[in-house]
Amino acid sequence: MPVYNKLVRDLIPQVIESTGKEFRTRILDEEEYKKELIIKLKEESEEYFAAESSKESLEELADMLEVIWALAVVHGATWEELEAMREKKAEARGGFQERVYLIDVDDQDP
């Protein structure tokens, strides 16, 4: 019997059950949940970097967003609050659409 010991999406137990296989799960406490979400975000980002097509990349980005939404809640924010923070930063510092690549900065005082 393979051992996974990892956070999975909420409907995975039903998917496994529909195959007739037996399995065990448990509900994580808050600290375990936060830790496992961080591990899951790293896992999903590694899968993004390993993706070989735009479709795969987008699927991994969607998975990362799902984990980010859950992490926002763990940190006491709603998705809307997180999005508002993102918008505020974009207004103050811009986004990444213009593809600006900083080469260097002369740190000598003028």
Side-chain angles (χ1 to χ4, degrees), residues 4-5 18 32 35 44 50 54 75 85 89-90 107 109:
Y4 291 93
N5 287 328
S18 73
E32 291 173 311
K35 177 183 168 197
E44 297 300 347
S54 287
H75 290 293
M85 288 177 168
K89 286 185 99 170
D107 63 356
D109 289 331

Side-chain angles (χ1 to χ4, degrees), residues 39-62:
I39 290 168
K40 181 62 75 173
L41 184 59
K42 289 178 185 176
E43 175 188 310
E44 297 300 347
S45 69
E46 288 168 2
E47 291 174 6
Y48 170 78
F49 291 119
E52 296 182 359
S53 69
S54 287
K55 183 180 184 301
E56 283 181 66
S57 295
L58 289 169
E59 287 175 2
E60 297 309 331
L61 287 172

Side-chain angles (χ1 to χ4, degrees), residues 22-37:
E22 292 189 22
F23 60 94
R24 291 184 307 145
T25 63
R26 71 181 181 88
I27 304 302
L28 301 173
D29 67 29
E30 287 297 316
E31 277 306 306
E32 291 173 311
Y33 180 53
K34 180 180 175 183
K35 177 183 168 197
E36 291 299 323
L37 281 170

